[in-house]
Every structure is written in structure tokens, then in C-alpha cells.
């Protein structure tokens, strides 16, 4: 049998082998496509999965099944195993978009390509409130943050004390990574603001302390620069601040509506009726508006202030003690009329 006849006699076998090879290649290609590139997540909208240091791969798979509408969790597990992802999980907040494939998601997870979260905090008075507000929005826990805020060695490493650490935080909305550690923060103090503080004769911490008093002193934010200017005048003249909010803070009673002589005798470094100068730390975490009101305070000659007798939350300001006493008498008369003790 010559060569041509041999080839012709084996042609059906060759065709069959080629067909089998095509099927195998095609089937393998389809399997690889479904494993890696085919859409496997179909949530109604972009959702986020959270991985902290306590969650393992099974926890992640449950999140994907429950919230990301994973169509084939088995294929995700299979590709994860091939890429050795379960052994190298990274903490973070990761976006899962409609139509996302296993490979696209795993590339984000493996490389730590997480999505920033918006963190907002304001109107915070105590460290416990701050720790609770922030820990609700980020990965680290309330106890961990409180421990750092009360750790004198840690606070000192940042240039603060446990009493002044409030000044570290600037209320605003920030875009940061969910798994940021508790020892990172964004700087507020630009060279321009530092220069203004220096011109006033205050450190950034002292600006924060004064701003906290200003914000507790008046409910009318347009009065902030006036009140700040008044206290700066008293500091420069060596006159005790005699700020009612510091007495309330010293006594732990911010709800006090009337400051009595007995309150003025509270023996606390925060009581500015008893001790001259600024108290040891902020009464609250001041807002950016409060800080800027101190840095850009109104220049005037006022040394005294008293709440207006209409209980509007606003104040009467005075240059002389005699004028102040008249304002105070009107306010006390209204307190008595309303039987506020």
C-alpha cells in the first residue's frame, strides 16, 4: 500500500482526533472563560464587602453570596484557590459591581485595591463620643481608639496630652480607607493658619482650647469671632477668662442654666473663675468654623459678655464693668422672673 492510500485509509481517524481536540480546546476555553472572565456577580447596584482581621475566606464567601448575588460561588472559590488568595487576604472595603467577574474582583482583593469611605464627625464633646462615632464608620474598635486617646506616651508622640488630644481632630467629612489604623489623621494646620496663631500668641492646641470655649459660650455662630476677640483681649490683659462653660465642664454639668457662687468655687484647673489663663484642654472638639473664628477673631475692646435677657442664645457685650453689671442685672432679673434656679 503506497503512502497516499495509507493516508486515505486513516483520514477518518485523523478527522475524529482533530474534532476531539477542537472540542477539548473549546470546552476548556469555555471553562476558563466561566471561571475567570464571565460575569459572576449581579447585585442590583454596587455593594461593598468588608474584610477585617477577624474574617476568613469562608466569611468573605458568605458576604458575596448574601449581598453581591454571586451566581457561581464554587467557581469563585476555585479560582481563588488557583491564585492562592485565601492565604493572603487583605483587610479593607471592596466594591462589587454588577457584571463583575471572578478575576476582576480577585485582582482588587489580592492587590488591596479598596474603595475609600466617607467619614463624618462633628458636634463631639467627649472622647467616648468621638471613639464611638468614628469606630462606627471604620474598622478599628471603640476600645482601641479610646486606649490610644488616653495613652499619655502615645499622645506625647503626637505632640499632645490626654487632656489636649481633642485638638488633634478637625470635624469634617473625609474620604479615607475603611481599614485605616487609629494613629493616622489629616493635617489642618497649614502654614497660613500657623502664622495666624503665632501672631495671636497661641499654639495650635491653645487655639483649639479657646475655640471649644467659644463654641460652648454662644449658640449664635456669627458671634464666634466677637467672643473669641473678647477672650483674647482678656488673655492679653492678664484678666481671668471667667468663662461659664469651663465651670460647667469642671462640674460635669453642661445642662446648667444658672451659674451660682458655689459653682465658681469648684476646684478644678478647668474652672477659669478660679484659675487664670486657658484650661488644660478643650471642652469639646471644636469645629473648623470655631477654629477659624479664633484665628480670624474680631478686633474690638470688649472685655465682658452676658447672655441676653430674651434667652435668644445671643449676648450683650461690654467694654466697662459698669456696663456689664447693668447687662447682668437685666439677665438675672429675667432668670428670677422665670424661676430658673
Amino acid at each position: 500500500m503506497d503512502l497516499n492510500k495509507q493516508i486515505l485509509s486513516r483520514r477518518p481517524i485523523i478527522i475524529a482526533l482533530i474534532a476531539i481536540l477542537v472540542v477539548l480546546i473549546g470546552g476548556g476555553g469555555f471553562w476558563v472563560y466561566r471561571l475567570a472572565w464571565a460575569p459572576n456577580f449581579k447585585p442590583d447596584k454596587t455593594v461593598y464587602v468588608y474584610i477585617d482581621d477577624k474574617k476568613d475566606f469562608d466569611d468573605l464567601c458568605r458576604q458575596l453570596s448574601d449581598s453581591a448575588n454571586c451566581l457561581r460561588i464554587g467557581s469563585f472559590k476555585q479560582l481563588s484557590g488557583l491564585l492562592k488568595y485565601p492565604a493572603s487576604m487583605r483587610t479593607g472595603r471592596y466594591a462589587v459591581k454588577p457584571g463583575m467577574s471572578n478575576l476582576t474582583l480577585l485582582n482588587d482583593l489580592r492587590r488591596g485595591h479598596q474603595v475609600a469611605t466617607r467619614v463624618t464627625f462633628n458636634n463631639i464633646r467627649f472622647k467616648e463620643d468621638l471613639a464611638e462615632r468614628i469606630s462606627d464608620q471604620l474598622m478599628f474598635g471603640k476600645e482601641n481608639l479610646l486606649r490610644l486617646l488616653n495613652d499619655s506616651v502615645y499622645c506625647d508622640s503626637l505632640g499632645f496630652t490626654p487632656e489636649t488630644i481633642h485638638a488633634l481632630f478637625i470635624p469634617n467629612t473625609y474620604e479615607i480607607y475603611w481599614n485605616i489604623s487609629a494613629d493616622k489623621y489629616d493635617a489642618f494646620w497649614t502654614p497660613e493658619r500657623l502664622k495666624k496663631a503665632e501672631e495671636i500668641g497661641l499654639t495650635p492646641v491653645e487655639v483649639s482650647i479657646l475655640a471649644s470655649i467659644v463654641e460652648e459660650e454662644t449658640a449664635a455662630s456669627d458671634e464666634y469671632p466677637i467672643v473669641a476677640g473678647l477672650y483674647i483681649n482678656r488673655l492679653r490683659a492678664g484678666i481671668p477668662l471667667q468663662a461659664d462653660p469651663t465651670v460647667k465642664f469642671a462640674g460635669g454639668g453642661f445642662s446648667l442654666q444658672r451659674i451660682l457662687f458655689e459653682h465658681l468655687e469648684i476646684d478644678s484647673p478647668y474652672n477659669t473663675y478660679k484659675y487664670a489663663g486657658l484650661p488644660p484642654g478643650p471642652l469639646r472638639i471644636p469645629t473648623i468654623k470655631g477654629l477659624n473664628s479664633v484665628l480670624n477673631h474680631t478686633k474690638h475692646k470688649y472685655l465682658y459678655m452676658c447672655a441676653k435677657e430674651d434667652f435668644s442664645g445671643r449676648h450683650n457685650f461690654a467694654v466697662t464693668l459698669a456696663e456689664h453689671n447693668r447687662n447682668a442685672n437685666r439677665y438675672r432679673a429675667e432668670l428670677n422672673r422665670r424661676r430658673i434656679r
Side-chain angles (χ1 to χ4, degrees):
M1 184 181 293
D2 59 27
L3 183 59
N4 290 334
K5 288 182 179 180
Q6 288 181 2
I7 293 175
L8 288 174
S9 65
R10 295 177 181 176
R11 184 175 181 180
I13 299 174
I14 295 173
I15 293 174
L17 290 174
I18 292 174
I20 292 171
L21 184 61
V22 168
V23 169
L24 290 174
I25 294 174
F30 180 70
W31 176 80
V32 171
Y33 169 74
R34 280 175 59 84
L35 183 68
W37 290 290
N40 194 28
F41 302 95
K42 291 192 175 182
D44 295 333
K45 60 181 180 180
T46 298
V47 297
Y48 300 92
V49 293
Y50 297 83
I51 304 174
D52 59 26
D53 50 12
K54 296 178 182 178
K55 289 182 178 176
D56 58 20
F57 183 67
D58 290 334
D59 294 322
L60 171 61
C61 290
R62 278 191 287 272
Q63 285 187 73
L64 293 174
S65 296
D66 294 340
S67 61
N69 193 22
C70 181
L71 304 179
R72 302 177 304 278
I73 194 65
S75 69
F76 176 78
K77 292 179 178 180
Q78 190 172 15
L79 185 60
S80 297
L82 291 172
L83 297 177
K84 299 180 180 180
Y85 168 69
S88 57
M89 292 177 61
R90 296 189 179 190
T91 61
R93 173 181 183 259
Y94 298 93
V96 184
K97 301 176 182 178
M100 210 171 197
S101 68
N102 288 333
L103 185 60
T104 301
L105 177 57
L106 280 166
N107 280 339
D108 286 345
L109 295 170
R110 292 166 65 219
R111 296 169 183 169
H113 288 175
Q114 56 177 311
V115 178
T117 184
R118 294 174 68 85
V119 174
T120 300
F121 63 93
N122 51 51
N123 196 28
I124 300 291
R125 184 171 278 154
F126 300 111
K127 284 188 279 190
E128 290 77 7
D129 299 329
L130 173 69
E132 185 170 355
R133 181 78 60 86
I134 293 181
S135 64
D136 284 344
Q137 302 177 74
L138 298 174
M139 187 179 80
F140 55 80
K142 174 182 176 180
E143 293 74 18
N144 183 33
L145 180 55
L146 267 180
R147 178 182 57 79
L148 290 175
L149 296 180
N150 291 314
D151 186 329
S152 58
V153 175
Y154 174 75
C155 291
D156 181 66
S157 72
L158 298 175
F160 298 88
T161 67
E163 292 75 27
T164 63
I165 194 66
H166 298 69
L168 173 68
F169 299 92
I170 309 297
N172 209 330
T173 296
Y174 300 91
E175 285 200 352
I176 59 178
Y177 290 121
W178 176 75
N179 63 342
I180 188 173
S181 48
D183 58 355
K184 296 183 180 180
Y185 65 96
D186 292 329
F188 166 80
W189 289 98
T190 62
E192 181 184 5
R193 288 191 175 107
L194 288 171
K195 183 178 179 182
K196 287 182 178 180
E198 185 179 2
E199 289 171 352
I200 299 170
L202 299 176
T203 66
V205 169
E206 290 170 335
V207 170
S208 295
I209 294 172
L210 184 52
S212 74
I213 297 173
V214 169
E215 290 190 349
E216 287 289 348
E217 188 71 79
T218 177
S221 61
D222 61 305
E223 286 189 347
Y224 287 178
I226 303 172
V227 176
L230 183 152
Y231 283 131
I232 288 172
N233 288 345
R234 293 181 76 93
L235 286 171
R236 287 173 174 169
I239 302 172
L241 295 185
Q242 296 184 330
D244 288 355
T246 66
V247 177
K248 294 179 181 180
F249 184 89
F254 277 102
S255 61
L256 278 177
Q257 290 185 284
R258 187 166 190 171
I259 302 296
L260 304 175
F261 287 113
E262 63 190 70
H263 298 130
L264 303 184
E265 293 302 315
I266 296 174
D267 190 12
S268 166
Y270 284 90
N271 183 354
T272 57
Y273 278 85
K274 199 171 184 66
Y275 295 94
L278 292 167
L283 311 187
R284 58 176 296 140
I285 296 176
T287 65
I288 290 177
K289 189 167 188 175
L291 293 167
N292 284 331
S293 294
V294 173
L295 295 174
N296 303 286
H297 63 278
T298 303
K299 293 177 175 58
H300 52 62
K301 295 183 179 180
Y302 295 138
L303 289 173
Y304 305 95
M305 62 185 293
C306 178
K308 282 191 173 183
E309 61 276 12
D310 61 2
F311 283 73
S312 62
R314 306 184 70 83
H315 293 79
N316 289 313
F317 298 92
V319 175
T320 67
L321 181 59
E323 184 183 359
H324 171 66
N325 286 336
R326 289 193 292 271
N327 293 334
N329 287 336
R330 289 199 303 272
Y331 181 66
R332 278 193 291 267
E334 186 60 23
L335 284 173
N336 292 332
R337 191 185 73 80
R338 300 188 184 204
R339 296 183 180 180
I340 296 175
R341 304 297 179 188

